[in-house]
Amino acid sequence: MLLPQRGDTMKNTAVSMPTVTHAIKAKRFLQSQGYSSEIRRSPKTSEFGCTHVLIINGDKDVVIALMNKHHIDYGKILSNEV
């Protein structure tokens, strides 16, 4: 279960991840920035070959900007409200 952090927002962002290693790296980094997240195995492989999904308790724009700034690879943004 994801716990609210980084303010009062309850927005969750789901992002497909190319590998479980990328998902773990992103989870650890975002945790160091105050964002809780959860790694889930995707029910099927995406068109980008992604097999895992990272669900982050945070606004999509902020989360994606942090991941881009720190060169963390990700696949597709699946949703902004999970």
Side-chain angles (χ1 to χ4, degrees):
M1 176 164 202
L2 296 175
L3 301 175
Q5 293 184 5
R6 298 289 294 191
D8 296 329
T9 181
M10 290 300 288
K11 290 184 179 181
N12 286 336
T13 301
V15 181
S16 63
M17 302 300 289
T19 66
V20 71
T21 303
H22 283 92
I24 292 168
K25 179 181 176 183
K27 179 180 175 64
R28 287 180 181 161
F29 168 71
L30 291 167
Q31 185 176 17
S32 76
Q33 300 299 303
Y35 293 92
S36 61
S37 62
E38 178 181 340
I39 300 170
R40 293 188 187 165
R41 179 122 174 117
S42 180
K44 61 180 182 173
T45 303
S46 75
E47 67 268 20
F48 302 108
C50 300
T51 58
H52 289 79
V53 175
L54 183 64
I55 301 170
I56 307 126
N57 182 13
D59 181 68
K60 171 187 66 106
D61 295 330
V62 175
V63 168
I64 296 304
L66 282 169
M67 290 174 61
N68 286 335
K69 182 178 179 181
H70 293 277
H71 309 288
I72 298 173
D73 293 333
Y74 58 91
K76 185 176 180 182
I77 301 166
L78 302 173
S79 67
N80 193 36
E81 298 273 344
V82 178

